[in-house]
């Protein structure tokens, strides 16, 4: 009888432990998280290819980093491709240093005091003699308005008035719908700038400009443009009767 009781008790305990094990086995457990770095070797063995996992950066963090990088970019960083196509057009920026006034070696047969304008390279030379010249950067006639010849300065004016030719008024109105005034008093807003030197009986002048960023480009209707500070400097160095050669 005792043996039967012990056997029954052992069976009962075995059943209880089995139930407890089953309950422990099937209860909810925390998920198993495997790092991508740990899975890479296994995936590599299965595919035969190297697997590289990149950390995903939250969108807000990525934008914050991009803004910080942009703020660190220097002002003279490389231009975007869309801007490269516009290099041949004037941009409101600092003038190219090569167009600033400077003394240069210049061989010519012209006498000292003569002005020689190289329209192809956008330079005006005031011959000083001994193989030297004072060089200035200039703006010249746009395509279709180039010209060459020899004249003399017949008049000089400070802060000149501007009276656009009727041909220019009609051309601007027809081409761009831009209506020019019949006359504009001299001043900082005047397109002729601070000084003007008139060439012979032509409509052409050497004059200043209220758009200094156009120096080095072909944008005028034939006149020779200079920065205001440069045309003032040249104005003081030449006189009426000075020979001007335009190449």
């Amino acid at each position: 009888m005792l043996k039967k009781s012990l056997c029954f008790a052992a069976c009962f305990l075995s059943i209880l432990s089995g139930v407890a094990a089953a309950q422990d086995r099937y209860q909810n457990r925390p998920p198993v998280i495997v790092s991508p770095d740990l899975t890479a070797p296994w995936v590599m063995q299965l595919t035969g290819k190297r697997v590289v996992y990149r950390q995903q950066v939250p969108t807000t963090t990525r934008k914050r980093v991009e803004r910080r990088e942009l703020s660190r970019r220097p002002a003279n960083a490389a231009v975007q491709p869309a801007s490269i196509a516009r290099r041949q057009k004037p941009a409101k920026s600092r003038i190219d240093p090569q167009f600033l006034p400077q003394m240069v070696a210049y061989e010519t047969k012209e006498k000292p005091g003569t002005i020689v304008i190289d329209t192809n390279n956008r330079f005006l030379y005031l011959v000083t003699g001994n193989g030297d010249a004072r060089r200035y950067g200039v703006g010249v006639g746009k395509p279709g308005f180039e010209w060459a010849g020899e004249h003399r300065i017949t008049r000089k004016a400070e802060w000149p008035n501007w009276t656009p030719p009727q041909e220019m008024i009609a051309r601007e109105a027809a081409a761009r719908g831009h209506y020019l005034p019949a006359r504009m008093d001299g001043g900082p807003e005047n397109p002729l700038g601070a000084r003007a030197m008139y060439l012979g009986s032509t409509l052409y002048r050497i004059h200043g400009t209220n758009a200094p960023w156009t120096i080095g480009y072909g944008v005028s209707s034939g006149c020779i443009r200079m920065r205001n500070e440069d045309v003032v400097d040249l104005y003081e160095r030449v006189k009426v009767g000075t020979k001007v050669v335009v190449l």
Side-chain angles (χ1 to χ4, degrees), residues 145-147 151 197-200 202-206 221-223:
F145 290 85
E146 308 97 332
W147 64 280
H151 295 283
M197 288 158 275
Y198 296 78
L199 304 180
T202 71
L203 296 176
Y204 301 128
R205 320 165 188 84
I206 300 171
S221 294
C223 286

Side-chain angles (χ1 to χ4, degrees), residues 67-138:
R67 284 196 297 269
R68 184 168 63 249
E69 291 301 322
L70 287 174
S71 66
R72 293 177 179 174
R73 183 175 299 174
N76 60 349
V79 295
Q80 296 298 320
S83 300
I84 296 175
R86 296 195 292 270
R87 282 182 177 175
Q88 299 306 316
K89 297 182 180 180
K92 294 184 179 182
S93 59
R94 290 192 310 173
I95 188 171
D96 190 320
Q98 70 171 321
F99 295 122
L100 297 177
Q102 53 194 287
M103 293 298 299
V104 298
Y106 188 67
E107 295 294 337
T108 179
K109 296 180 180 179
E110 302 295 339
K111 296 179 179 180
T114 303
I115 293 175
V116 180
I117 301 173
D118 181 350
T119 55
N120 287 333
N121 294 306
R122 281 50 163 166
F123 291 126
L124 180 151
Y125 297 90
L126 175 60
V127 180
T128 58
N130 300 320
D132 294 326
R134 185 168 177 79
R135 190 181 75 183
Y136 305 84
V138 296

Side-chain angles (χ1 to χ4, degrees), residues 19-31:
V19 172
Q23 290 178 347
D24 182 66
R25 178 181 301 171
Y26 295 107
Q27 70 178 349
N28 294 330
R29 296 192 178 195

Side-chain angles (χ1 to χ4, degrees), residues 47-88:
T47 63
K49 298 180 180 179
R50 183 181 179 185
V51 179
V52 179
Y53 289 88
R54 300 184 183 276
Q55 182 180 4
Q56 296 297 320
V57 180
T59 303
T60 55
T61 302
R62 184 170 63 252
K63 290 182 178 180
R64 187 162 55 249
V65 171
E66 290 173 351
R67 284 196 297 269
R68 184 168 63 249
E69 291 301 322
L70 287 174
S71 66
R72 293 177 179 174
R73 183 175 299 174
N76 60 349
V79 295
Q80 296 298 320
S83 300
I84 296 175
R86 296 195 292 270
R87 282 182 177 175
Q88 299 306 316

Side-chain angles (χ1 to χ4, degrees), residues 2 16 48 60 63 67 69 83 131 168 175 189 196 219 236 239:
L2 181 58
L16 287 178
T60 55
K63 290 182 178 180
R67 284 196 297 269
E69 291 301 322
S83 300
M168 179 184 290
E189 300 302 319
V219 292
E236 299 298 330
K239 58 185 179 180

Side-chain angles (χ1 to χ4, degrees), residues 162-185:
W162 181 44
T163 303
Q166 290 299 318
E167 301 84 9
M168 179 184 290
I169 294 175
R171 184 172 62 247
E172 290 293 314
R176 300 189 296 173
H178 184 196
Y179 295 93
L180 300 177
R183 181 180 180 279
M184 180 181 289
D185 292 335

